[in-house]
PDB file of all heavy atoms in Angstrom:
ATOM      1  N   ILE A  67     -50.486-211.444-100.810  1.00 98.00           N
ATOM      2  CA  ILE A  67     -51.677-210.501-100.677  1.00 98.00           C
ATOM      3  C   ILE A  67     -52.883-211.412-100.848  1.00 98.00           C
ATOM      4  O   ILE A  67     -53.894-211.030-100.055  1.00 98.00           O
ATOM      5  CB  ILE A  67     -51.508-209.419-101.821  1.00 98.00           C
ATOM      6  CG1 ILE A  67     -50.321-208.499-101.566  1.00 98.00           C
ATOM      7  CG2 ILE A  67     -52.847-208.590-101.862  1.00 98.00           C
ATOM      8  CD1 ILE A  67     -50.008-207.574-102.757  1.00 98.00           C
ATOM      9  N   SER A  68     -52.963-212.174-101.803  1.00 98.00           N
ATOM     10  CA  SER A  68     -54.195-212.931-102.062  1.00 98.00           C
ATOM     11  C   SER A  68     -54.492-213.826-100.763  1.00 98.00           C
ATOM     12  O   SER A  68     -55.690-213.826-100.415  1.00 98.00           O
ATOM     13  CB  SER A  68     -53.906-213.855-103.246  1.00 98.00           C
ATOM     14  OG  SER A  68     -55.094-214.626-103.483  1.00 98.00           O
ATOM     15  N   ARG A  69     -53.453-214.303-100.257  1.00 98.00           N
ATOM     16  CA  ARG A  69     -53.668-215.195 -98.954  1.00 98.00           C
ATOM     17  C   ARG A  69     -54.313-214.284 -97.897  1.00 98.00           C
ATOM     18  O   ARG A  69     -55.236-214.690 -97.195  1.00 98.00           O
ATOM     19  CB  ARG A  69     -52.406-215.866 -98.535  1.00 98.00           C
ATOM     20  CG  ARG A  69     -52.599-216.626 -97.207  1.00 98.00           C
ATOM     21  CD  ARG A  69     -51.296-216.965 -96.506  1.00 98.00           C
ATOM     22  NE  ARG A  69     -51.649-217.346 -95.219  1.00 98.00           N
ATOM     23  CZ  ARG A  69     -50.761-217.726 -94.259  1.00 98.00           C
ATOM     24  NH1 ARG A  69     -49.467-217.514 -94.532  1.00 98.00           N
ATOM     25  NH2 ARG A  69     -51.160-218.107 -93.051  1.00 98.00           N
ATOM     26  N   MET A  70     -53.738-213.055 -97.729  1.00 98.00           N
ATOM     27  CA  MET A  70     -54.240-212.239 -96.610  1.00 98.00           C
ATOM     28  C   MET A  70     -55.816-211.988 -96.919  1.00 98.00           C
ATOM     29  O   MET A  70     -56.588-212.004 -95.892  1.00 98.00           O
ATOM     30  CB  MET A  70     -53.429-210.907 -96.721  1.00 98.00           C
ATOM     31  CG  MET A  70     -54.116-209.869 -95.821  1.00 98.00           C
ATOM     32  SD  MET A  70     -53.210-208.287 -96.021  1.00 98.00           S
ATOM     33  CE  MET A  70     -53.773-207.685 -97.619  1.00 98.00           C
ATOM     34  N   LEU A  71     -56.118-211.655 -98.128  1.00 98.00           N
ATOM     35  CA  LEU A  71     -57.567-211.362 -98.454  1.00 98.00           C
ATOM     36  C   LEU A  71     -58.453-212.571 -98.333  1.00 98.00           C
ATOM     37  O   LEU A  71     -59.528-212.435 -97.746  1.00 98.00           O
ATOM     38  CB  LEU A  71     -57.596-210.836 -99.867  1.00 98.00           C
ATOM     39  CG  LEU A  71     -56.958-209.468-100.067  1.00 98.00           C
ATOM     40  CD1 LEU A  71     -56.783-209.157-101.548  1.00 98.00           C
ATOM     41  CD2 LEU A  71     -57.674-208.337 -99.361  1.00 98.00           C
ATOM     42  N   THR A  72     -58.023-213.688 -98.728  1.00 98.00           N
ATOM     43  CA  THR A  72     -58.897-214.839 -98.654  1.00 98.00           C
ATOM     44  C   THR A  72     -59.119-215.293 -97.141  1.00 98.00           C
ATOM     45  O   THR A  72     -60.198-215.586 -96.789  1.00 98.00           O
ATOM     46  CB  THR A  72     -58.432-216.083 -99.482  1.00 98.00           C
ATOM     47  OG1 THR A  72     -57.042-216.328 -99.083  1.00 98.00           O
ATOM     48  CG2 THR A  72     -58.636-215.884-100.979  1.00 98.00           C
ATOM     49  N   ASP A  73     -57.988-215.185 -96.401  1.00 97.00           N
ATOM     50  CA  ASP A  73     -58.119-215.512 -94.983  1.00 97.00           C
ATOM     51  C   ASP A  73     -59.148-214.629 -94.323  1.00 97.00           C
ATOM     52  O   ASP A  73     -60.052-215.123 -93.460  1.00 97.00           O
ATOM     53  CB  ASP A  73     -56.805-215.426 -94.225  1.00 97.00           C
ATOM     54  CG  ASP A  73     -55.793-216.589 -94.440  1.00 97.00           C
ATOM     55  OD1 ASP A  73     -56.302-217.573 -94.921  1.00 97.00           O
ATOM     56  OD2 ASP A  73     -54.662-216.427 -94.064  1.00 97.00           O
ATOM     57  N   TRP A  74     -59.163-213.401 -94.615  1.00 97.00           N
ATOM     58  CA  TRP A  74     -60.068-212.346 -94.075  1.00 97.00           C
ATOM     59  C   TRP A  74     -61.497-212.603 -94.723  1.00 97.00           C
ATOM     60  O   TRP A  74     -62.532-212.467 -93.993  1.00 97.00           O
ATOM     61  CB  TRP A  74     -59.511-210.972 -94.571  1.00 97.00           C
ATOM     62  CG  TRP A  74     -60.230-209.835 -93.918  1.00 97.00           C
ATOM     63  CD1 TRP A  74     -60.116-209.288 -92.755  1.00 97.00           C
ATOM     64  CD2 TRP A  74     -61.204-208.990 -94.588  1.00 97.00           C
ATOM     65  NE1 TRP A  74     -60.870-208.231 -92.597  1.00 97.00           N
ATOM     66  CE2 TRP A  74     -61.545-208.002 -93.636  1.00 97.00           C
ATOM     67  CE3 TRP A  74     -61.823-208.977 -95.893  1.00 97.00           C
ATOM     68  CZ2 TRP A  74     -62.468-206.980 -94.093  1.00 97.00           C
ATOM     69  CZ3 TRP A  74     -62.619-207.997 -96.191  1.00 97.00           C
ATOM     70  CH2 TRP A  74     -62.985-207.057 -95.249  1.00 97.00           C
ATOM     71  N   ALA A  75     -61.599-212.937 -96.015  1.00 96.00           N
ATOM     72  CA  ALA A  75     -62.885-213.014 -96.617  1.00 96.00           C
ATOM     73  C   ALA A  75     -63.572-214.260 -96.183  1.00 96.00           C
ATOM     74  O   ALA A  75     -64.924-214.221 -95.925  1.00 96.00           O
ATOM     75  CB  ALA A  75     -62.760-212.976 -98.136  1.00 96.00           C
ATOM     76  N   TYR A  76     -62.883-215.365 -96.196  1.00 95.00           N
ATOM     77  CA  TYR A  76     -63.551-216.654 -95.897  1.00 95.00           C
ATOM     78  C   TYR A  76     -64.240-216.684 -94.560  1.00 95.00           C
ATOM     79  O   TYR A  76     -65.338-217.168 -94.389  1.00 95.00           O
ATOM     80  CB  TYR A  76     -62.451-217.876 -95.833  1.00 95.00           C
ATOM     81  CG  TYR A  76     -61.938-218.352 -97.170  1.00 95.00           C
ATOM     82  CD1 TYR A  76     -60.568-218.739 -97.335  1.00 95.00           C
ATOM     83  CD2 TYR A  76     -62.630-218.200 -98.347  1.00 95.00           C
ATOM     84  CE1 TYR A  76     -60.040-219.155 -98.493  1.00 95.00           C
ATOM     85  CE2 TYR A  76     -62.127-218.522 -99.621  1.00 95.00           C
ATOM     86  CZ  TYR A  76     -60.822-219.006 -99.633  1.00 95.00           C
ATOM     87  OH  TYR A  76     -60.247-219.401-100.781  1.00 95.00           O
ATOM     88  N   GLU A  77     -63.657-215.999 -93.587  1.00 93.00           N
ATOM     89  CA  GLU A  77     -64.308-215.909 -92.258  1.00 93.00           C
ATOM     90  C   GLU A  77     -65.567-215.150 -92.254  1.00 93.00           C
ATOM     91  O   GLU A  77     -66.460-215.306 -91.381  1.00 93.00           O
ATOM     92  CB  GLU A  77     -63.343-215.133 -91.190  1.00 93.00           C
ATOM     93  CG  GLU A  77     -62.127-215.910 -90.831  1.00 93.00           C
ATOM     94  CD  GLU A  77     -61.396-215.150 -89.769  1.00 93.00           C
ATOM     95  OE1 GLU A  77     -61.823-214.023 -89.371  1.00 93.00           O
ATOM     96  OE2 GLU A  77     -60.397-215.815 -89.210  1.00 93.00           O
ATOM     97  N   ARG A  78     -65.810-214.243 -93.239  1.00 91.00           N
ATOM     98  CA  ARG A  78     -67.033-213.509 -93.363  1.00 91.00           C
ATOM     99  C   ARG A  78     -68.001-214.149 -94.410  1.00 91.00           C
ATOM    100  O   ARG A  78     -69.043-213.563 -94.749  1.00 91.00           O
ATOM    101  CB  ARG A  78     -66.625-212.076 -93.818  1.00 91.00           C
ATOM    102  CG  ARG A  78     -66.027-211.281 -92.828  1.00 91.00           C
ATOM    103  CD  ARG A  78     -65.422-210.017 -93.380  1.00 91.00           C
ATOM    104  NE  ARG A  78     -65.074-209.126 -92.320  1.00 91.00           N
ATOM    105  CZ  ARG A  78     -63.998-209.381 -91.485  1.00 91.00           C
ATOM    106  NH1 ARG A  78     -63.237-210.402 -91.747  1.00 91.00           N
ATOM    107  NH2 ARG A  78     -63.784-208.548 -90.502  1.00 91.00           N
ATOM    108  N   GLY A  79     -67.613-215.243 -94.990  1.00 92.00           N
ATOM    109  CA  GLY A  79     -68.467-215.872 -96.073  1.00 92.00           C
ATOM    110  C   GLY A  79     -68.404-214.981 -97.215  1.00 92.00           C
ATOM    111  O   GLY A  79     -69.278-214.967 -98.069  1.00 92.00           O
ATOM    112  N   ALA A  80     -67.409-214.188 -97.411  1.00 95.00           N
ATOM    113  CA  ALA A  80     -67.208-213.330 -98.579  1.00 95.00           C
ATOM    114  C   ALA A  80     -66.202-213.825 -99.570  1.00 95.00           C
ATOM    115  O   ALA A  80     -65.619-214.924 -99.336  1.00 95.00           O
ATOM    116  CB  ALA A  80     -66.652-211.913 -98.023  1.00 95.00           C
TER     117      ALA A  80
END
Side-chain angles (χ1 to χ4, degrees):
Chain A
I67 292 169
S68 178
R69 177 198 169 184
M70 170 185 75
L71 293 167
T72 48
D73 281 348
W74 186 81
Y76 289 148
E77 281 187 2
R78 290 168 167 73

